[in-house]
């Protein structure tokens, strides 16, 4: 076994020692915070300020918990940041969501436990590292403290009383004992820190349900992105393969039709067959191009703003477009946003009797927000099996939502929100 592993001066041992020394004042501060705020909350709970006070205490505990999560990285331990509090609207919603914050309560419990534990860790450091260094250096300072041979030096209890290190041989024996103690110090401290890191992971990390939700969100994101990539490959295969073959076939049939038209002995029935095949090839090409655009519009490769500009210019209702995005969304989100906007503009053209439509695409607190407004007759609703219901379901696959404000007589404002990235 490598000798550096047993050395008290290896990197891991020094990082653990540094962690204990740095964590001690934070642990004492957190313990004092938990005790004072909780005791103050007892009389405050009798009046209306008690519940808001408790919510504030839990928020403060979260902040101290983040300090402990950052400091424990010195030990090579990474504790995942727990989920944020989902604040409900209004004052009562803020109080209700704050009091139901499981992470805040668990962090407060950790602050209560970390105070005594931090003191215990510091005591272990003092008894192992401190005592080991003192014994190791005993021959250097023994005579400075006990200059007379009649004085008594350090002692340890034995079965026959006490053993005093009052001679030079015994002084070097104390030094050897200090060396052994220093070699054992990292392992003793490491055993104590196992309890600390276990509490950190359990009390300051995300809850089991949050980890499950995060895993499901990551799985869904991979599935959505994989689906978008597969559709993109299908679109490329159709565009570069089947579409090219149909264009070639239509050109050959057109050339054959033109050639038969100038031949005096051409069979009219054959000319009709070729003309029909030529027309069918052109119709199939049109349908294939429409299918390709329905899978993944090639214009999306240039960005959502360019794709929406093309979409707005091709509609039957005049559209004023404004796009202000600080960054590009993921491909799957851009595709959903494009088809969502296309469906909403198609509804405007078919049902609203509008003379003007406005499309605004912005970013708001990490969300892509699409607002489509028209000056039509209004009355739009999300009905079972309708196009708007399908849009709401499609947005729901990425935790998006669809909000409709459409009173009778108009105007209609439809807001779609979805994350910038899946």
């Amino acid at each position: 076994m490598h000798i550096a592993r047993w050395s008290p001066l290896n990197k891991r041992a020094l990082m653990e020692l540094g962690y204990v020394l740095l964590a001690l004042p934070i642990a004492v501060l957190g313990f004092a915070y938990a005790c004072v705020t909780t005791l103050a909350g007892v009389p405050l709970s009798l009046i209306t300020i008690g519940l808001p006070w408790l919510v504030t205490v839990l928020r403060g505990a979260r902040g101290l918990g983040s300090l402990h999560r950052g400091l424990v990285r010195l030990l090579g331990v990474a504790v995942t940041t727990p989920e944020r509090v989902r604040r409900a609207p209004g004052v009562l919603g803020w109080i209700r969501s704050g009091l139901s914050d499981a992470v805040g309560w668990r962090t407060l419990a950790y602050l209560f436990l970390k105070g005594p534990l931090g003191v215990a860790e510091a005591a272990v450091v003092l008894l192992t590292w401190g005592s080991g260094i003192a014994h190791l250096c005993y021959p250097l300072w023994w005579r400075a403290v006990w200059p007379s041979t009649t004085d008594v030096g350090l002692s340890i209890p034995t079965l026959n009383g006490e053993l005093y290190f009052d001679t030079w041989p015994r002084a070097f024996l104390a030094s050897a004992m200090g060396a052994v103690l220093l070699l054992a110090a990292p392992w003793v401290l490491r055993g104590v820190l196992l309890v600390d890191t276990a509490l950190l992971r359990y009390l300051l990390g995300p809850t089991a349900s949050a980890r499950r939700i995060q895993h499901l969100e990551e799985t869904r994101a991979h599935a959505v992105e994989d689906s978008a990539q597969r559709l993109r490959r299908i679109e490329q295969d159709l565009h570069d393969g089947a579409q090219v073959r149909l264009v070639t076939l239509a050109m050959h049939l057109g050339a054959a039709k033109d050639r038969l038209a100038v031949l005096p002995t051409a069979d009219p029935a054959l000319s009709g067959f070729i003309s029909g095949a030529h027309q069918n090839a052109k119709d199939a090409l049109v349908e294939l191009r429409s299918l390709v655009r329905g899978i993944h519009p090639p214009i999306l490769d240039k960005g959502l703003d360019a794709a929406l500009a093309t979409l707005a210019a091709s509609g039957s209702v005049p559209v004023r477009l404004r796009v202000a995005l600080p960054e590009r969304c993921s491909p799957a989100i851009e595709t959903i946003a494009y088809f969502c906007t296309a469906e909403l503009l198609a509804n405007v053209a078919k049902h609203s009797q509008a003379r003007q439509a406005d499309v605004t695409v912005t970013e708001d607190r990490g969300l892509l927000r699409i607002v489509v407004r028209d000056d039509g007759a209004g009355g739009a609703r999300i009905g079972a099996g309708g196009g708007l219901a399908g849009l709401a379901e499609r947005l729901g696959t990425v935790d998006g939502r669809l909000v409709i404000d459409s009173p009778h007589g108009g105007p209609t404002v439809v807001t779609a929100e979805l994350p910038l990235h899946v």
Side-chain angles (χ1 to χ4, degrees), residues 36-397:
V36 172
T37 54
T38 303
L39 289 176
V42 173
L44 290 176
S45 62
L46 302 177
I47 56 179
T48 56
I49 198 176
L51 294 180
W53 169 264
L54 190 54
V55 173
T56 305
V57 169
L58 296 178
R59 295 291 175 88
R62 272 179 168 261
L64 290 171
S66 65
L67 290 179
H68 286 288
R69 280 194 301 272
L71 193 59
V72 80
R73 294 182 183 274
L74 291 174
L75 303 180
V77 177
V79 180
T80 305
T81 302
E83 64 276 14
R84 293 184 177 183
V85 180
R86 294 188 177 182
R87 177 179 174 180
V91 177
L92 293 179
W94 176 75
I95 294 175
R96 185 170 58 254
S97 58
L99 292 178
S100 60
D101 178 18
V103 175
W105 288 107
R106 289 191 294 117
T107 305
L108 191 63
Y110 176 79
L111 295 181
F112 276 113
L113 296 174
K114 178 60 179 178
L117 184 59
V119 174
E121 291 169 353
V124 169
V125 168
L126 184 62
L127 292 175
T128 55
W129 285 87
S131 182
I133 293 174
H135 281 76
L136 182 66
C137 301
Y138 183 69
L140 301 178
W141 56 269
W142 169 48
R143 281 305 182 189
V145 177
W146 294 284
S148 174
T149 56
T150 60
D151 293 333
V152 178
L154 290 177
S155 66
I156 58 173
T158 64
L159 295 177
N160 297 322
E162 288 186 309
L163 173 63
Y164 290 95
F165 298 98
D166 52 358
T167 63
W168 282 109
R170 291 183 177 182
F172 285 104
L173 175 61
S175 180
M177 293 173 59
V180 173
L181 195 56
L182 280 178
L183 289 175
W187 299 95
V188 175
L189 181 59
R190 196 163 299 163
V192 177
L193 289 177
L194 287 176
V195 179
D196 195 352
T197 53
L199 285 175
L200 268 163
R201 287 193 176 97
Y202 180 73
L203 295 177
L204 297 188
T207 60
S209 59
R211 288 193 296 268
R212 176 62 176 167
I213 291 173
Q214 182 181 6
H215 173 70
L216 292 175
E217 288 177 345
E218 292 174 353
T219 303
R220 181 196 61 189
H222 290 314
V224 171
E225 289 292 348
D226 182 66
S227 176
Q229 292 177 3
R230 288 177 179 271
L231 289 176
R232 184 73 180 95
R233 286 195 296 269
I234 293 173
E235 181 269 328
Q236 290 177 344
D237 291 341
L238 291 175
H239 183 274
D240 300 335
Q243 186 170 274
V244 172
R245 291 179 179 275
L246 276 176
V247 170
T248 304
L249 176 62
M251 291 175 59
H252 289 168
L253 288 173
K257 185 181 70 171
D258 295 339
R259 184 61 181 267
L260 285 174
V262 299
L263 292 178
T265 59
D267 186 356
L270 181 59
S271 298
F273 289 143
I274 293 179
S275 296
H278 183 228
Q279 185 61 45
N280 288 335
K282 292 193 295 183
D283 293 341
L285 185 59
V286 171
E287 293 177 1
L288 182 60
R289 285 173 176 168
S290 177
L291 176 63
V292 168
R293 286 193 296 269
I295 294 175
H296 179 86
I299 191 64
L300 268 178
D301 295 337
K302 298 182 179 180
L304 183 61
D305 51 350
L308 293 181
T310 302
L311 185 65
S314 62
S316 58
V317 176
V319 176
R320 287 189 297 237
L321 175 67
R322 185 176 73 88
V323 180
L325 295 176
E327 59 178 317
R328 286 199 64 171
C329 311
S330 61
I333 294 298
E334 286 188 341
T335 302
I336 294 175
Y338 174 86
F339 285 114
C340 178
T341 308
E343 179 69 21
L344 292 176
L345 290 178
N347 287 342
V348 171
K350 292 179 182 177
H351 309 297
S352 70
Q353 304 173 4
R355 298 184 301 272
Q356 179 72 44
D358 296 274
V359 177
T360 304
V361 182
T362 56
E363 184 270 338
D364 181 25
R365 292 175 295 179
L367 294 175
L368 175 65
R369 174 172 291 177
I370 304 171
V371 180
V372 179
R373 178 187 179 95
D374 67 72
D375 58 358
R381 296 290 183 271
I382 298 179
L388 292 177
L391 276 184
E393 291 178 0
R394 187 167 188 178
L395 292 174
T397 60

